[in-house]
Amino acid sequence: QVQLVESGGGLVQAGGSLRLSCVASGTIFAITAMGWYRQAPGKQRELVAAITSGGRTNYADSVKGRFTLSRDNAKNTVHLQMNSLKPEDTAVYYCNAGRLVGPSIDDYWGQGTQVTVSS
C-alpha cells in the first residue's frame, strides 16, 4: 500500500500563487509516476500534471505555462507550483501515484485538498 499526504491548498485571489505538496510513504518502490488531478463541482476528475520517475512531465493544456510540477525522488515528494491562478482553477486537488505491480499499475490517491481562487 501507498499512502499519500497532501498539503498546501487554500484560498487565493485571481493572479495569485499556491504550492501543493504530496508525500508518499509505505510501499513506495516501483512507483512509476506521480501527479495531481483535480475535480470541480459537477465535473469529472481531470489530470493537471504528472511526472515520471525519470522526470518527464505532462501538463493539461489549461495549466501549461502557469503550473510547474517537480519531484524529489529522495524524499518521495512532488510539488505543484501554481502561478497566475484563475477562478476556473478552483477544485479539489488530488495527489496520485502509480505503482507498477507485475504487468499492471495500481493507482493510489490522496484525500484531496481544496483550492479556491476568488475573482
Side-chain angles (χ1 to χ4, degrees), residues 2-115:
V2 175
Q3 294 79 43
L4 301 173
V5 178
E6 303 141 333
S7 61
L11 172 64
V12 66
Q13 288 188 332
S17 298
L18 283 174
R19 186 179 190 235
L20 305 183
S21 297
C22 175
V23 181
S25 62
T27 311
I28 59 174
F29 69 92
I31 287 180
T32 55
M34 294 182 68
W36 291 89
Y37 287 69
R38 66 187 181 187
Q39 187 166 18
K43 294 187 177 182
Q44 288 188 328
R45 191 173 296 189
E46 62 176 3
L47 173 69
V48 176
I51 186 167
T52 67
S53 56
R56 188 169 67 244
T57 54
N58 180 37
Y59 295 93
D61 288 343
S62 59
V63 307
K64 284 181 180 176
R66 300 188 297 123
F67 290 12
T68 302
L69 183 63
S70 60
R71 180 170 180 171
D72 185 337
N73 287 330
K75 296 182 178 180
N76 306 309
T77 301
V78 291
H79 303 286
L80 182 66
Q81 179 65 43
M82 305 186 294
N83 298 328
S84 302
L85 282 161
K86 304 175 181 179
E88 50 264 43
D89 294 317
T90 295
V92 178
Y93 284 67
Y94 296 92
C95 182
N96 169 267
R99 181 170 170 267
L100 186 64
V101 181
S104 62
I105 293 179
D106 285 350
D107 271 318
Y108 296 90
W109 297 92
Q111 78 282 2
T113 184
Q114 178 70 46
V115 171

